[in-house]
Amino acid sequence: MSGPLSDPNRLRRNKPNFTTTSLPAGGRPGPVPKPPAWRAPLGAAGLAWWDWAWKLPEAAAWSPGQLVFAAQRASLEDQLLALHDAPVLDVAELLDIEPDQRTDELEWLVRTLHRMAAGKTVLDREARELDDRLGLSAKGFTALHWKIEAAEAPAEAKPRTSTAKRSRMKVIDGGAA
């Protein structure tokens, strides 16, 4: 057993030396921006992701420079959908063709499966990296030092004041004397 849990209301001696960005719990206010025109138009999956992402609390902290990353991430959704909906060879059709042609079709099928598997892995990796940059993953959210503001503060919660620290110090000083 490792002992009692630390007091969550305890004052820290080593306060963090970085600032955090508070994000609105209700999500980013305002209308969803249009995807950049310099990219190929987004498909259905990309547009759905774009609309979803811009309503998140994380989107409130995105700078104009991160619009590029958000557009790339939305584009990946279209590419992942295209991989999922790639044409599939019907095995029954394969049995109806001549043996020489069957070999060619099987080779094509194996090459296609290999490209699809490799492509999905690459797209998934790129999506994770962009999610980190945009703060959409736990790792990225933590690295950017973001926190989501509470919608309403509980009535019982009271901020600690320096008097609490002083009274604790008196107890320690009084016990030592």
Side-chain angles (χ1 to χ4, degrees):
M1 188 173 235
S2 61
L5 294 175
S6 61
D7 180 11
N9 296 322
R10 189 182 125 233
L11 293 175
R12 290 183 61 169
R13 289 184 188 178
N14 60 341
K15 291 183 180 177
N17 59 359
F18 55 83
T19 58
T20 59
T21 303
S22 295
L23 306 176
R28 180 184 169 273
V32 174
K34 294 188 183 304
W38 55 266
R39 294 199 59 87
L42 294 175
L47 286 173
W49 186 92
W50 183 265
D51 289 340
W52 168 80
W54 282 98
K55 294 174 185 166
L56 296 173
E58 290 86 342
W62 292 347
S63 66
Q66 288 174 307
L67 188 74
V68 174
F69 299 129
Q72 286 176 331
R73 180 61 180 85
S75 167
L76 287 177
E77 289 298 315
D78 285 333
Q79 293 175 33
L80 287 167
L81 182 65
L83 277 178
H84 183 267
D85 292 344
V88 178
L89 180 65
D90 186 8
V91 177
E93 288 179 14
L94 189 60
L95 296 175
D96 289 340
I97 58 178
E98 296 178 25
D100 293 339
Q101 201 176 7
R102 205 178 295 160
T103 303
D104 294 340
E105 290 291 325
L106 279 172
E107 287 174 356
W108 172 84
L109 178 61
V110 169
R111 281 193 310 273
T112 302
L113 287 172
H114 184 272
R115 278 196 311 270
M116 287 176 63
K120 176 142 177 39
T121 303
V122 170
L123 291 176
D124 285 344
R125 185 178 330 124
E126 189 172 344
R128 276 192 308 275
E129 289 174 9
L130 287 170
D131 286 350
D132 288 346
R133 280 189 180 184
L134 295 170
L136 297 177
S137 67
K139 174 185 173 185
F141 192 89
T142 303
L144 292 167
H145 304 294
W146 288 349
K147 67 178 181 176
I148 296 179
E149 296 175 344
E152 289 184 18
E156 302 88 35
K158 294 180 183 176
R160 287 185 60 136
T161 61
S162 60
T163 58
K165 183 177 179 182
R166 276 191 230 123
S167 66
R168 189 175 57 191
M169 294 299 282
K170 287 178 184 177
V171 170
I172 293 172
D173 290 341

